[in-house]
Structure formats: C-alpha cells, structure tokens
Amino acid sequence: MPATPHYPHDPHAPHNEVPGRIMAREMREQPAVLRRILDKGAPAIRRVAEDIAARAPRFVLLAARGTSDNAALYAKYLLEVRLGLPCGLTSMSTVTAYGARPDLTDVLVVTVSQSGGSPDLVASTRAAREAGAITLAVTNNPDSALAGVAEYHIDILAGPEKALPATKTYTASLLALYLFVEGLRGGDGAPAQMLPGLAGDLLARHDEVRTLAARYRFAERMVITARGFGYPTAKEAALKLMETSYIPALSYSGADLLHGPLAMVDNVSPVIAVVTDGKGGEALQPVLDRLRGRGADLVVIGPAGEVGRASAGFVLPTENVAEEVQPVLEIIPLQLLAYEVTIARGQDPDAPRALAKVTETR
C-alpha cells in the first residue's frame, strides 16, 4: 500500500481540518481509478473509437481549459504521432465571444472537461456539432451539460473529486484518451496494463518526494521543461505548483526555453526537467546540456541515468514502459511535490485561495 503522507498540523485539530487530507486521499486513489478504466471503461471507449474511426475524420480539434487542457495537449501528441492526423487546440472565444462559425464538416472535435459544466465548453461544442463536426466529450460526469450536447461521450470513471487541485481526474483523462486513440488505430492498448501497478509503486515513494520538496520551500520562481510526450506533464506540474503553493512556475518546451527564456536561468534558479525515456527525452538533451552549463539547480524526473547527471531527482520506472504512456506516471511524483511544497509553506492544498472546483468561463 502507498505510504500515508505526514501532515504537519495541530494534533488536536479535527480530522476534517487536516491540511491536504482530501488531495492526499485522491492522489492515493489513482491506481484503483486506472484499473477501473482498464477493466470497466475500455470496452465502451473502444466502441466509441471504432464508430468515429468508421467516419474517417479529416482532422481533429481539441477544446479544454486548465488541467483538462494539458490532457488535451497529450491527446494532440498521440493523434499526430500515432495516427498522423492533423490536430489543433481550439480558441473557444472565436465562437463564444466573436460568433465565428467555421465549416467543421467531417472534423472530429474532442472536448475534455472534468465537470463538463463550463459554459464556453458547452457552447463551443454545441456550435461545432451544428457546424457539421463529429463531437466527443471526455468528462468525469456523464450527466453533465457537455455530455448532453456532444454526439459521443467517454466517462473517465474517476469518481467524485473534492480537492480543488485535480489529480486523479488528470491521470484518468490521460488513460482514457490513450485508449481512445488506440481504438482509432485498431490497437489493443496493451502498454497501459502495467500503469496501475506502477502508479501504486510511485505513490509508495512519497518520502522521497518529501525530501525533494525541501529544496523548494522558499523558492520564488521555478522553471519546468520537457519535450514531446513529456511537455504536457511539464505544463500540468507548473499548474499544480502555482495553484497550490502559489509559486510562479513557468513551463516551457525545451525548444522554446532555448529561444530566449534560458537567459533568466542562473545558478540559483530551480529547474525541473521531465525526461521521457524515448525520442522526447533524446530531443531534450541539448537543453539539459545548456542548463548544466549555466549551473542551474537541475532536478530531473525520469530514468535513473538522467537523474544521476542532475543536482537531484526522482527516478521513474521506464524500462519496458512505452513512451506514449509514461506521462500517466510522470505526473504522480510532481503532484506529490506540489502537495509537499504547499504543506511545507504552511498552506492547505485542498483549498487554494480564489479558486472554485468548477470554473465557469464564457
């Protein structure tokens, strides 16, 4: 069983007032959620994928906000790399604010949303369907307004998520989207079968992350970088750190980091590199060399060999794990890191200030 996190708190406080209690519980649920998707959700996902594949969409548009936007970016890499389908991320305001009505005949529009309740996602999906698109909603709520307006729906089966920072719904979205793309290409999704067990192993190493978090308790800024399939992980990790600990965390593709932002990195700037074991990690090597050359405080989340060349890090299990499913595992130690940094800074990751669980943008 995963180790239970240590909570620095008043021992006389009621249990429901323990900071981070809900987020910690939901992170620990991830292995069970991933197994549920594989055992119970996969057949329905495959049926949706086969139906859509038979309609031969000419390209794909993805719509999402926040954490779901990072899951959609992961789907973009899958669709382009695994299927060779042109794919883009939509700007919903073109429809909701400007009233544009593009011709979307034979275009697959995939809208990803945990709650399925944001008005702009609902409105843009409805408009896409009216414009001729094949519409798919990927949500944690089959009774949501978004599921109701889309032609197809995939339930990520994560169960209720009460903490404001999304954890289990993020990894559930990644796995559901992976199985959907595999279904489009006629694959069996076998590389995903090992994910629940490996996720449990990572959660059991919580103490390692707590030690790592001590580096960032007083950080004023952080940079997170990756390439390829790891880039959505970098963006999601930055979001988690910002919304829980309030540390400005800047996420960059390694290629973009070299095009200017590298100038802000110095020997006191914390940099986290997400090094996927595969072509994405290979593409990141010149960036890692430049960061080491600048004396950056470089922490690597990735294979043992890469961690050994950094200031510190967290070793991921990558042997025999396909590159395209590694993001499901990469984010887990970074979720734990956001949690631990927040607790160390005396804040409650369950309830970040100024945020609501369902953000109703228009």
Side-chain angles (χ1 to χ4, degrees):
M1 293 293 292
T4 300
H6 165 71
Y7 307 102
H9 68 286
D10 178 355
H12 302 294
H15 183 62
N16 61 1
E17 293 181 8
V18 175
R21 175 183 62 89
I22 302 172
M23 182 179 177
R25 183 191 69 224
E26 290 173 350
M27 287 190 292
R28 291 196 302 269
E29 290 176 13
Q30 289 176 107
V33 171
L34 297 175
R35 176 51 58 195
R36 186 184 309 137
I37 295 169
L38 291 169
D39 291 347
K40 298 182 179 180
I45 295 172
R46 176 169 288 277
R47 287 192 294 272
V48 169
E50 290 174 345
D51 199 355
I52 291 175
R55 297 171 65 174
R58 54 194 176 97
F59 62 88
V60 184
L61 291 173
L62 294 141
R65 296 286 189 198
T67 285
S68 293
D69 197 39
N70 299 326
L73 180 59
Y74 168 71
K76 182 178 188 292
Y77 275 93
L78 286 173
L79 289 159
E80 292 181 343
V81 173
R82 305 287 285 169
L83 270 69
L85 269 177
C87 188
L89 301 175
T90 62
S91 300
M92 282 166 284
S93 63
T94 61
V95 172
T96 60
Y98 292 94
R101 291 295 182 266
D103 180 2
L104 298 178
T105 305
D106 298 326
V107 174
L108 172 59
V109 174
V110 181
T111 307
V112 186
S113 171
Q114 298 149 34
S115 68
S118 186
D120 56 351
L121 293 169
V122 175
S124 62
T125 302
R126 181 186 294 110
R129 189 170 181 180
E130 292 171 352
I134 306 163
T135 52
L136 167 65
V138 180
T139 81
N140 195 38
N141 183 1
D143 298 320
S144 63
L146 179 59
V149 301
E151 185 176 357
Y152 297 96
H153 177 254
I154 288 175
D155 186 351
I156 66 171
L157 300 174
E161 189 173 59
K162 301 297 185 183
L164 284 174
T167 54
K168 64 178 181 174
T169 53
Y170 180 69
T171 50
S173 296
L174 296 188
L175 179 54
L177 288 164
Y178 169 75
L179 293 174
F180 170 67
V181 174
E182 282 296 286
L184 288 177
R185 63 188 293 271
D188 61 7
Q193 290 298 322
M194 62 179 65
L195 294 176
L198 293 175
D201 293 343
L202 291 174
L203 287 162
R205 296 164 58 194
H206 195 134
D207 285 348
E208 293 180 43
V209 179
R210 186 175 300 116
T211 300
L212 193 62
R215 305 174 72 89
Y216 304 117
R217 180 175 181 180
F218 301 107
E220 296 182 359
R221 181 188 67 208
M222 294 173 64
V223 174
I224 307 176
T225 189
R227 290 205 69 179
F229 283 109
Y231 181 41
T233 306
K235 290 177 68 65
E236 174 62 11
L239 177 60
K240 284 291 153 286
L241 283 160
M242 286 189 288
E243 70 183 356
T244 57
S245 70
Y246 318 140
I247 297 173
L250 309 174
S251 59
Y252 294 100
S253 158
D256 288 331
L257 185 64
L258 295 183
H259 282 266
L262 183 67
M264 71 178 172
V265 176
D266 54 30
N267 59 5
V268 296
S269 301
V271 179
I272 297 176
V274 181
V275 185
T276 304
D277 191 8
K279 293 182 178 178
E282 293 170 8
L284 191 63
Q285 290 305 313
V287 183
L288 299 178
D289 291 341
R290 292 286 297 276
L291 289 168
R292 283 189 286 263
R294 292 188 63 80
D297 177 14
L298 177 62
V299 169
V300 166
I301 310 297
E306 295 295 340
V307 172
R309 301 173 62 201
S311 304
F314 185 96
V315 176
L316 290 173
T318 58
E319 186 176 358
N320 300 319
V321 181
E323 180 179 3
E324 60 270 18
V325 299
Q326 289 178 37
V328 179
L329 304 175
E330 289 168 348
I331 191 58
I332 291 174
L334 292 162
Q335 292 172 343
L336 295 171
L337 181 67
Y339 169 90
E340 285 295 340
V341 170
T342 304
I343 293 291
R345 290 163 73 99
Q347 293 145 199
D348 184 359
D350 283 345
R353 64 193 182 204
L355 295 181
K357 186 63 178 173
V358 179
T359 304
E360 297 190 353
T361 47
R362 297 183 182 274

